[in-house]
Amino acid sequence: MQRFQEKFLTTLTEEIEEAKATRAVIVFFDNTNDLRSYAKHPKFAKHLDEANFLLEEIYPEEKQQIVTCRSATMNAVTLSSSTFGRGTDFQCMDDTVQQAGGIHIVQTHVADTLSEEIQMKGRTARQGEKGSWSMVLRKAPLLDTYKLDDAALTQLQAGGRSEETRKALWNMINGNRMNLNMAQLEELI
């Protein structure tokens, strides 16, 4: 499992560095523990001093500064818990960031519902602005929680990061997420 963890950390760091080179990037983690673990990892060390951390426990004034000013400026990196993936209006006033493609969102977990995922995607490209979204996921939760087939997942991974591969993977994840949500709903009825 450690190898898959390392792959996740490497891929996430590469994704951040690629986006940060010409834009601003906001990374959503499933929870504060995952965010803190990544922030302490050596792969993120060179970004630590300049990064923004959007957590539930910081002061409201600090949150406001991050959301309205610091997170959407050129070369900014913001690590955020998923709480801020819903309803937070990140404001990009930096024309250079907009010209380069806008804010890039990285989601590091499968949202519990499709509507939650759509909300996270919606933290970018707001009100006619440019922006993009991607997912960098760990393999273990895909196998354990979402019951994806290991062989099928490995085959998709061999396809690289092409758009076709990304769509096929998302379709697998979303289908299994919907099945899981239906099973949970049936338990309640």
Side-chain angles (χ1 to χ4, degrees):
M1 273 312 178
Q2 184 61 29
R3 182 171 63 95
F4 296 119
Q5 178 71 1
E6 262 323 292
K7 177 134 176 71
F8 166 78
L9 294 168
T10 299
T11 303
L12 178 56
T13 304
E14 288 171 354
E15 185 90 7
I16 289 169
E17 290 174 351
E18 182 180 326
K20 176 189 179 295
T22 59
R23 306 162 53 182
V25 60
I26 302 171
V27 184
F28 287 106
F29 291 86
D30 190 27
N31 56 60
T32 304
N33 288 338
D34 288 351
L35 184 156
R36 290 179 196 278
S37 293
Y38 180 68
K40 291 176 184 176
H41 197 277
K43 290 200 181 294
F44 189 70
K46 68 181 174 183
H47 304 291
L48 190 59
D49 291 339
E50 62 193 23
N52 301 302
F53 296 93
L54 194 52
L55 305 164
E56 291 84 353
E57 64 265 17
I58 65 174
Y59 290 111
E61 298 82 15
E62 179 75 5
K63 287 179 197 171
Q64 190 64 23
Q65 275 290 313
I66 292 170
V67 169
T68 59
C69 302
R70 299 194 323 237
S71 64
T73 59
M74 182 59 77
N75 310 119
V77 176
T78 301
L79 304 184
S80 175
S81 62
S82 62
T83 303
F84 298 97
R86 262 192 179 296
T88 305
D89 192 11
F90 293 95
Q91 298 171 10
C92 183
M93 307 294 190
D94 189 331
D95 289 338
T96 312
V97 170
Q98 278 301 304
Q99 292 168 2
I103 301 169
H104 181 67
I105 300 293
V106 180
Q107 186 177 330
T108 64
H109 65 286
V110 177
D112 290 337
T113 63
L114 180 58
S115 63
E116 184 182 343
E117 184 176 301
I118 290 168
Q119 284 289 318
M120 274 189 227
K121 286 180 186 178
R123 300 309 92 208
T124 188
R126 300 184 61 74
Q127 301 174 4
E129 294 179 343
K130 295 177 181 176
S132 58
W133 166 87
S134 66
M135 294 177 92
V136 177
L137 305 171
R138 290 180 188 87
K139 189 174 185 180
L142 297 177
L143 299 173
D144 299 339
T145 305
Y146 295 96
K147 309 297 183 210
L148 296 186
D149 179 67
D150 192 19
L153 194 53
T154 301
Q155 186 177 3
L156 275 175
Q157 285 178 311
R161 297 178 70 185
S162 71
E163 188 64 27
E164 183 179 317
T165 299
R166 289 177 190 219
K167 284 181 183 179
L169 179 57
W170 187 87
N171 286 333
M172 273 177 53
I173 292 168
N174 191 49
N176 286 24
R177 172 176 49 198
M178 289 172 52
N179 291 339
L180 180 62
N181 288 342
M182 288 303 295
Q184 291 170 341
L185 181 61
E186 288 172 3
E187 287 179 13
L188 294 174
I189 297 176

